[in-house]
């Protein structure tokens, strides 16, 4: 109760810092990437290569393959690092293999940076263009809130229906007729399996009825969750595509800017939402169904594993098979998610159906595999850095507000 009371007292600090502060710092981070993306990206790349080299050097020292005098010349004779990195007999062999592996990783990282430097430059250009799109369509910063609200409402709905199902003692199936639709009714008194009327069938005699209904309800949660996320991806992709093809966006000419605005319209994100709602709901349903189905299979496998733990303890081969199937399903889910996301983007740009968009996306990905990999890696790093920076700054604002913003000691 104390924690809930603290949250209630600090609710405005959390709301203002988390929502408003997150939006402000997110916009500032995008502006920073727009003008300094090349510096941030190349600094991150060089720091990664330098870190690999440092870990390699440290591993050679722990393995005893670099003499103490050599290590002292690098880090200093009075450095505590020099004492910590000295070799030990018990672990020298393990550190030797680690040193070899880190050497290979450092060489590969250096060669990748040298050979793919032009593609890294293209990835930096993509980040700059993305920041320009968000700067032009500022409503993109607010649209994820709609997705979060819809997912929260979906979670509340799922929990409410789950509680109703778990509290029911019997279920009856209305077969329809007389102008009524078939439906299942839950009641709190169990009467056993019987036919109460020509159109009503009591299902309480079936022990698995509850499990079937919960499985159906759980799959509905997975499918609807993926549908919400996919809908957001396609809406944002459509708005950004509209902005991109209204370009070019490199000049500062006022006439060009007005021409871009006339092509883009006053509400590009709203136009994308309407296009998606009117023409592409089937594509979203198809892609989200595939992802939800694989997630449901993973949940079934997790349930089977929990029920067969004793049997797996006695049979190592069965345990390996279970782990292998789970690993395959996990990898398959990641692949389908990635392909579906590319298909949604392709659909938002060209308006093709799901299968056509997925095939076109796969052809492009195989044709430019190196470029796609570099762009994905760099954008993931930039997103992780942005999340960390924004979280730290919003947390700092909330701390300062709570520490110095309240005057009375009771609410502090």
């Amino acid at each position: 109760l104390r924690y809930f009371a603290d949250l209630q007292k600090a609710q405005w600090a959390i709301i203002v810092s988390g929502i408003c502060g997150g939006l402000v710092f997110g916009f500032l981070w995008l502006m920073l990437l727009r003008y300094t993306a090349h510096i941030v990206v190349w600094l991150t790349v060089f720091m990664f290569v330098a870190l690999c080299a440092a870990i390699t050097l440290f591993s050679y020292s722990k393995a005893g393959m670099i003499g103490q005098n050599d290590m002292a010349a690098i880090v200093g004779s009075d450095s505590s690092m020099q004492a910590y990195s000295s070799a030990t007999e018990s672990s020298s062999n393990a550190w030797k293999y680690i040193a070899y592996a880190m050497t290979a990783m450092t060489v590969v990282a250096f060669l990748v940076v040298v050979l793919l430097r032009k593609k890294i430059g293209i990835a930096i250009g993509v980040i700059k263009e993305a920041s320009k799109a968000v700067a032009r369509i500022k409503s993109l910063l607010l649209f994820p809130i709609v997705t979060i609200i819809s997912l929260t409402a979906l979670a509340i709905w799922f929990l409410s229906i789950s509680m109703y199902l778990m509290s029911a003692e019997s279920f009856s199936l209305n077969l329809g007729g007389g102008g009524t639709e078939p439906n299942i009714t839950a009641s709190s008194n169990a009467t056993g399996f019987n036919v109460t009327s020509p159109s009503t069938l009591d299902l309480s005699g079936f022990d698995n009825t509850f499990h079937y209904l919960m499985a159906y309800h759980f799959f509905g949660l997975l499918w609807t969750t993926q549908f919400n996320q996919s809908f957001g991806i396609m809406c944002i992709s459509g708005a950004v595509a509209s902005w991109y093809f209204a370009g070019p966006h490199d000049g500062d000419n006022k006439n060009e800017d007005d021409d871009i605005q006339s092509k883009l319209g006053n509400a590009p994100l709203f136009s994308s939402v309407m296009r998606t709602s009117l023409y592409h709901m089937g594509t979203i349903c198809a892609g989200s169904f595939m992802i939800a189905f694989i997630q449901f299979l993973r949940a079934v496998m997790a349930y089977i594993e929990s029920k067969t733990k004793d049997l797996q303890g006695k049979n190592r081969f069965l345990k390996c098979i279970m782990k292998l199937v789970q690993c395959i399903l996990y990898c398959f889910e990641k692949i389908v998610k990635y392909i579906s996301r590319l298909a949604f983007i392709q659909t938002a740009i060209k308006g093709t159906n799901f299968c056509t968009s997925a095939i076109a996306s796969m052809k492009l990905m195989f044709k430019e595999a190196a470029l796609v990999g570099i762009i994905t890696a760099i954008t993931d790093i930039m997103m992780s850095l942005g999340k960390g920076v924004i979280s730290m700054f919003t947390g700092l604002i909330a701390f300062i507000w709570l520490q110095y913003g309240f005057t009375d000691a009771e609410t502090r």
Side-chain angles (χ1 to χ4, degrees), residues 312-373:
Q312 292 180 49
K314 300 176 183 178
N315 191 332
R316 290 186 175 273
F317 178 75
L318 177 61
K319 186 175 182 179
C320 292
I321 291 296
M322 295 293 292
K323 297 297 183 183
L324 178 62
V325 172
Q326 287 183 340
C327 180
I328 292 174
L329 288 176
Y330 173 80
C331 296
F332 190 49
E333 179 191 350
K334 294 297 182 183
I335 293 172
V336 172
K337 270 188 174 181
Y338 186 73
I339 295 176
S340 298
R341 185 176 65 178
L342 295 179
F344 295 146
I345 296 173
Q346 189 80 4
T347 299
I349 296 173
K350 295 188 174 181
T352 52
N353 59 45
F354 179 79
C355 294
T356 304
S357 300
I359 293 172
S361 302
M362 291 299 296
K363 288 181 178 179
L364 178 62
M365 187 177 69
F366 286 130
K367 183 179 179 181
E368 298 289 349
L371 179 59
V372 172

Side-chain angles (χ1 to χ4, degrees), residues 155-174:
I156 295 173
W157 165 260
F158 174 78
L159 294 175
S160 301
I161 300 301
S162 299
M163 288 188 290
Y164 276 116
L165 290 176
M166 288 186 289
S167 63
E169 296 181 358
S170 66
F171 304 92
S172 61
L173 172 63
N174 188 343

